[in-house]
């Protein structure tokens, strides 16, 4: 069975997907001044247009309802999908090289991490009666990007812990403020 894409334009990289202020600051080399940095190595800023986020959610749901197989993103979640598995590899490769690498270089410095060469991009769906949270863990990546896509929900807490446990004096060791703004990116360097 062949998949019939709902929004074919999403499958090719385009700068049109991104927040104009984010793109302006990325091009001007001023992303560090644009981003909030509530915790060392953590940066928060709008990155994707809401219209893109809405279409991405629709596309993922369309694929999941197609009956075609897809892998779950990890052993900790039962609801979600790996985006490369459903055809987003070309778009995500462009995102890695044209957006993530330059953003990482600006925010962390050009020599802070090796050149980024691969990604594992996935979505996780949280819902009462299904997956409700992700246990504390350490990502095995050089850079982690968290994008809150959400539709209609309350919550969306994202916690950061220091290596010795929760730092109770740090506001970002507690949940992010609600509601989670659509398409806001958190870049975390370990």
């Amino acid at each position: 069975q062949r998949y019939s894409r709902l929004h074919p334009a999403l499958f090719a990289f385009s700068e049109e997907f991104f927040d104009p202020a984010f793109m302006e600051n990325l091009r001007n080399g001023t992303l560090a001044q644009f981003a909030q940095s509530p915790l060392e190595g953590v940066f928060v800023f709008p990155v994707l247009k809401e219209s893109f986020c809405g279409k991405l959610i629709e596309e993922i749901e369309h694929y999941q309802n197609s009956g075609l197989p897809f892998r779950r993103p990890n052993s900790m979640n039962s609801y979600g999908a790996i985006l490369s598995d459903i055809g987003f590899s070309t778009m995500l490769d462009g995102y890695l090289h044209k957006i993530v690498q330059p953003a990482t270089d600006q925010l962390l410095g050009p020599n802070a991490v090796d050149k980024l060469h691969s990604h594992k991009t996935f979505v996780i769906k949280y819902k009462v009666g299904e997956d409700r949270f992700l246990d504390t863990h350490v990502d095995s990546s050089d850079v982690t990007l968290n994008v809150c896509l959400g539709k209609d929900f309350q919550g969306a807490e994202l916690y950061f812990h220091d290596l010795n446990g929760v730092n109770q004096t740090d506001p970002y060791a507690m949940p992010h403020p609600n509601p989670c703004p659509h398409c806001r990116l958190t870049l975390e360097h370990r």
Side-chain angles (χ1 to χ4, degrees):
Q1 186 179 0
R2 188 172 164 92
Y3 176 60
S4 176
R5 295 174 174 175
L6 183 63
H7 300 292
L10 296 184
F11 290 83
F13 176 82
S14 172
E15 288 188 5
E16 292 299 312
F17 301 156
F18 298 91
D19 178 86
F22 165 76
M23 288 304 300
E24 179 181 345
N25 282 280
L26 184 66
R27 282 189 202 102
N28 293 339
T30 55
L31 197 54
Q33 291 80 24
F34 175 68
Q36 298 173 28
S37 185
L39 185 66
E40 184 180 347
V42 176
F43 303 91
V44 181
F45 46 89
V47 67
L48 298 168
K49 290 181 179 176
E50 285 194 38
S51 58
F52 172 80
C53 293
K55 288 178 182 177
L56 180 61
I57 292 168
E58 289 173 359
E59 191 70 50
I60 293 164
E61 290 174 343
H62 181 67
Y63 186 92
Q64 290 176 326
N65 292 329
S66 72
L68 292 168
F70 58 92
R71 295 181 296 155
R72 299 297 179 199
N74 56 53
S75 61
M76 297 177 283
N77 296 98
S78 299
Y79 302 92
I82 299 172
L83 296 184
S84 294
D85 288 357
I86 59 178
F88 283 104
S89 293
T90 300
M91 186 268 285
L92 293 169
D93 289 344
Y95 182 59
L96 177 69
H97 298 297
K98 296 175 183 175
I99 302 294
V100 178
Q101 183 70 59
T104 300
D105 290 346
Q106 284 187 40
L107 295 170
L108 301 175
N111 300 315
V113 297
D114 291 334
K115 184 165 177 60
L116 303 175
H117 56 84
S118 65
H119 57 83
K120 181 178 180 186
T121 308
F122 56 89
V123 294
I124 299 172
K125 178 182 172 186
Y126 295 106
K127 182 178 177 182
V128 174
E130 296 178 359
D131 288 337
R132 294 182 54 218
F133 62 90
L134 182 61
D135 286 330
T136 299
H137 65 282
V138 175
D139 291 341
S140 62
S141 57
D142 289 327
V143 175
T144 298
L145 304 155
N146 294 293
V147 178
C148 179
L149 292 174
K151 289 196 305 191
D152 183 24
F153 61 90
Q154 293 179 340
E157 291 88 6
L158 179 60
Y159 294 82
F160 295 96
H161 301 272
D162 65 23
L163 295 176
N164 298 314
V166 176
N167 177 350
Q168 297 293 341
T169 62
D170 189 328
Y172 270 73
M174 298 296 103
H176 286 228
N178 290 336
C180 177
H182 287 278
C183 309
R184 183 167 288 273
L185 175 103
T186 306
L187 185 147
E188 174 192 3
H189 177 246
R190 60 179 174 94

